[in-house]
């Protein structure tokens, strides 16, 4: 968990500063679990296609609660975890600062990957986001007739696509037909820093084959 507050009002800033100073740190056990997330996820991802070893590592880490939940049960019911809000530990702040140093590169990389998807994913059944060279995509979301079919097809090719944004904020039977349509046809493609042009070529080929299968 993390966040930042920025204000131009000095009086409000002092109130925020006092409130932040009164917060406690998360427990060492909880902090240790957060610090384990990076190396365990990296190892699991690296070995995912190696006889299922990586999949077993990630499954076991979650099952044994070695890794913290991305969203806790309390948050799913609209409540905050008992330890939140809290101060950001120095070790986590160090990781954040390191990430900020490469932010410009990462953003530019995401834009490059998005441009490749737009250029290479040519199919009459695909709808791309509106063209905007200034947009920075955490995921490059396209609209396809049957995203679940493509996700399942890609999984057999050892490409694991996200199922983010697959339902409206309200229930799936929402009275917002546009939101229901968009979420039920969204397919999210990765844009992360480790992705190469060769990876994009493979993803594009699998998506097009999945559409035609």
């Amino acid at each position: 968990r993390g966040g930042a507050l920025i204000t131009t009002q000095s009086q409000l800033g002092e109130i925020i500063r006092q409130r932040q100073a009164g917060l406690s740190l998360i427990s060492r056990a909880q902090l240790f679990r957060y610090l384990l997330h990076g190396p365990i996820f990296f190892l699991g991802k690296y070995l995912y296609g190696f006889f299922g070893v990586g999949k077993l590592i990630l499954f076991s880490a979650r099952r044994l609660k070695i890794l913290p939940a991305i969203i806790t049960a309390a948050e799913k019911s609209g409540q905050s975890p008992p330890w939140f809000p809290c101060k950001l530990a120095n070790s986590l702040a160090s990781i954040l600062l390191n990430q900020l140093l490469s932010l410009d590169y990462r953003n530019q990389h995401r834009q490059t990957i998005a441009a490749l998807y737009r250029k290479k994913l040519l199919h009459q059944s695909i709808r791309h986001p509106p063209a905007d060279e200034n947009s920075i995509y955490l995921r490059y979301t396209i609209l396809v007739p049957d995203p679940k079919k493509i996700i399942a097809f890609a999984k057999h090719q050892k490409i694991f696509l996200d199922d983010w944004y697959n339902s409206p904020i309200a229930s799936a039977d929402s009275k917002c037909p546009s939101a229901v349509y968009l979420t039920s046809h969204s397919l999210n493609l990765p844009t992360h820093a480790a992705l190469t042009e060769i990876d994009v070529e493979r993803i594009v080929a699998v998506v097009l084959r999945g559409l035609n299968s």
Side-chain angles (χ1 to χ4, degrees):
R1 306 296 183 271
L5 289 175
I6 300 174
T7 179
T8 58
Q9 301 179 29
S10 57
Q11 186 175 1
L12 178 58
E14 184 58 32
I15 295 174
I16 294 171
R17 194 175 294 109
Q18 291 176 6
R19 173 70 187 277
Q20 190 271 344
L23 297 176
S24 59
L25 291 165
I26 58 175
S27 68
R28 291 186 177 182
Q30 183 79 343
L31 174 59
F32 184 66
R33 293 172 68 204
Y34 276 110
L35 292 174
L36 281 177
H37 185 276
I40 288 180
F41 189 80
F42 173 82
L43 185 62
K45 184 178 178 182
Y46 183 77
L47 296 174
Y48 206 93
F50 185 71
F51 302 104
V53 173
K55 185 176 183 179
L56 179 62
I57 290 173
L58 294 175
F59 175 80
S60 300
R62 291 193 180 100
R63 189 75 173 180
L64 298 174
K65 297 185 177 180
I66 297 173
L67 296 180
I70 297 175
I71 301 177
T72 65
E75 289 171 305
K76 290 180 179 179
S77 61
Q79 302 173 356
S80 295
W83 46 266
F84 188 84
C86 61
K87 290 181 180 177
L88 186 65
N90 287 340
S91 53
L92 296 177
S94 178
I95 295 173
L96 170 61
L97 288 173
N98 185 59
Q99 293 288 306
L100 288 175
L101 290 174
S102 61
L103 182 61
D104 289 341
Y105 162 76
R106 292 172 182 273
N107 286 344
Q108 186 177 17
H109 179 78
R110 290 186 189 277
Q111 291 174 324
T112 300
I113 296 299
L116 288 173
Y117 283 135
R118 184 178 297 278
K119 178 181 178 181
K120 297 176 180 295
L121 268 175
L122 302 176
H123 194 284
Q124 61 182 6
S125 298
I126 294 176
R127 284 177 56 191
H128 290 265
D132 181 1
E133 61 181 16
N134 295 317
S135 292
I136 299 170
Y137 299 93
L138 180 62
R139 302 286 189 278
Y140 187 80
T141 303
I142 59 175
L143 298 180
V144 295
D146 189 352
K148 291 183 179 179
K149 183 182 78 168
I150 296 176
I151 291 173
F153 180 81
K155 187 175 182 179
H156 286 295
Q157 315 302 318
K158 299 190 181 337
I159 292 178
F160 303 94
L161 302 178
D162 290 315
D163 59 356
W164 287 23
Y165 327 124
N166 59 357
S167 67
I169 294 176
S171 59
D173 58 349
S174 169
K175 295 181 179 179
C176 302
S178 294
V180 172
Y181 174 83
L182 291 172
T183 55
S184 61
H185 289 81
S186 292
L187 180 66
N188 307 292
L189 307 177
T191 62
H192 57 78
L195 209 64
T196 67
E197 186 169 351
I198 294 176
D199 294 328
V200 172
E201 294 277 5
R202 183 163 175 256
I203 292 170
V204 167
V206 168
V207 169
L208 293 178
R209 286 169 57 196
L211 274 171
N212 297 321
S213 64

